[in-house]
Amino acid sequence: MSTVWMNQLSWIDYEARLLRDQPPIFLPVGALEQHGPHLPLGTDGLLAAAVAADTAKRVSGLVAPTLSYGYKSQPKCGGGQHFCGTTSVDAATLIGSVRDAVREFARHGAKRLVIVNGHYENQWFLIEGIDLGLRDLGPAAQLQVMRLEYWDFLTETTLASVFPNGFPGFALEHAAVIETSMMLHYHPDLVRVDLIPDDGPADFPPYDVYPTRRHWVPLSGVLSSAKGASAAKGAVMATELAQRMAAAVAHEFA
Ligand code: ZN
Ligand code: MN
């Protein structure tokens, strides 16, 4: 039984893997969120799961089913909540889901949990869910949790080669070169290459206004051009991410 996907194992096989190997358990977290005309709504979760699976293979880990609904899309990093299809949860819901996951994996006897975030807006609520989950378990708990945004594992050298004209920053990289390239690598059938927009980078003021200003956000929902995307760039990034994330897991959880 060599699958990395936890939900393809029986409980007997899962328990045996836990007892025998203490595999790190990867929990991808994504969002259901517009990603322009060329990428699917589930991009954040699909990429978090794909990167988690490639990493899990290198460290004999298991990947749990993705938490597929994320915190509310923000105009400056996800386009905002006004797009049809963007389907978000309140902070308390996401915090509760992560808190429950921490408690449940600890109950199974897992000792290492790696939460792989693929949606910018989730970050602080994942931290809160981990904190409350560990507090529930108490100081005697055996579970350790690592949390990461996968894109932070890209090196300056790789970013310089992926963005020969300059890197616009991770927030504006919504549905742009990184996500489009990674999707062309992992899920080419889900990318509408013919519809990739060439919008200039969105220009946001250094404050927010509520209700959010829809006209701040390009109509396509893409926050900087995705024209420079390619499957080859996606392959380079995917390999680097899996290598460096696996090294981090091995370092912390050896
Ligand atoms: Zn995304
Ligand atoms: Mn997102």
Side-chain angles (χ1 to χ4, degrees), residues 127-140:
I127 293 170
E128 180 71 355
I130 293 164
D131 186 63
L132 296 182
L134 290 177
R135 196 166 77 189
D136 293 343
L137 294 171

Side-chain angles (χ1 to χ4, degrees), residues 35 44 174 179:
H35 274 74
D44 289 354
H174 178 73
E179 287 186 317

Side-chain angles (χ1 to χ4, degrees), residues 11-248:
W11 78 269
I12 305 284
D13 292 333
Y14 171 67
E15 182 178 59
R17 281 285 300 275
L18 276 185
L19 291 174
R20 191 183 65 222
D21 304 331
Q22 267 309 325
I25 309 287
F26 292 80
L27 177 62
V29 189
L32 197 57
E33 175 184 52
Q34 72 79 21
H35 274 74
H38 62 298
L39 293 178
L41 291 162
T43 292
D44 289 354
L46 289 167
L47 290 180
V51 169
D54 272 357
T55 308
K57 285 172 197 156
R58 291 168 181 264
V59 294
S60 302
L62 289 173
V63 184
T66 304
L67 295 181
S68 298
Y69 297 85
Y71 182 67
K72 294 157 196 164
S73 182
Q74 298 300 300
K76 291 178 181 175
C77 49
Q81 282 295 120
H82 57 283
F83 288 89
C84 187
T86 294
T87 311
S88 307
V89 297
D90 289 345
T93 309
L94 181 58
I95 292 167
S97 295
V98 174
R99 181 182 193 164
D100 291 349
V102 167
R103 189 190 61 246
E104 287 290 86
F105 287 110
R107 181 179 61 76
H108 304 162
K111 295 200 171 76
R112 305 134 167 193
L113 180 64
V114 183
I115 298 183
V116 178
N117 185 24
H119 175 60
Y120 207 86
E121 290 86 329
N122 288 342
Q123 181 168 339
W124 295 101
F125 310 116
L126 303 182
I127 293 170
E128 180 71 355
I130 293 164
D131 186 63
L132 296 182
L134 290 177
R135 196 166 77 189
D136 293 343
L137 294 171
Q142 303 260 309
L143 181 72
Q144 297 184 74
V145 185
M146 177 184 288
R147 186 202 60 78
L148 60 90
E149 277 72 45
Y150 70 77
W151 49 80
D152 285 337
F153 286 77
L154 294 170
T155 58
E156 298 280 336
T157 310
T158 296
L159 288 174
S161 73
V162 169
F163 295 95
N165 301 320
F167 177 49
F170 287 116
L172 287 185
E173 253 305 303
H174 178 73
V177 173
I178 293 176
E179 287 186 317
T180 304
S181 298
M182 299 268 293
M183 286 295 284
L184 284 168
H185 171 64
Y186 280 120
H187 295 287
D189 296 350
L190 300 181
V191 183
R192 287 289 306 273
V193 175
D194 53 317
L195 298 181
I196 291 177
D198 191 20
D199 296 341
D203 185 22
F204 296 111
Y207 53 82
D208 298 311
V209 179
Y210 308 94
T212 55
R213 300 277 198 258
R214 294 183 182 201
H215 67 269
W216 287 6
V217 180
L219 287 173
S220 70
V222 178
L223 300 185
S224 59
S225 178
K227 276 290 179 197
S230 73
K233 287 180 179 178
V236 168
M237 289 189 279
T239 303
E240 176 163 271
L241 291 172
Q243 277 174 351
R244 301 191 77 225
M245 286 167 56

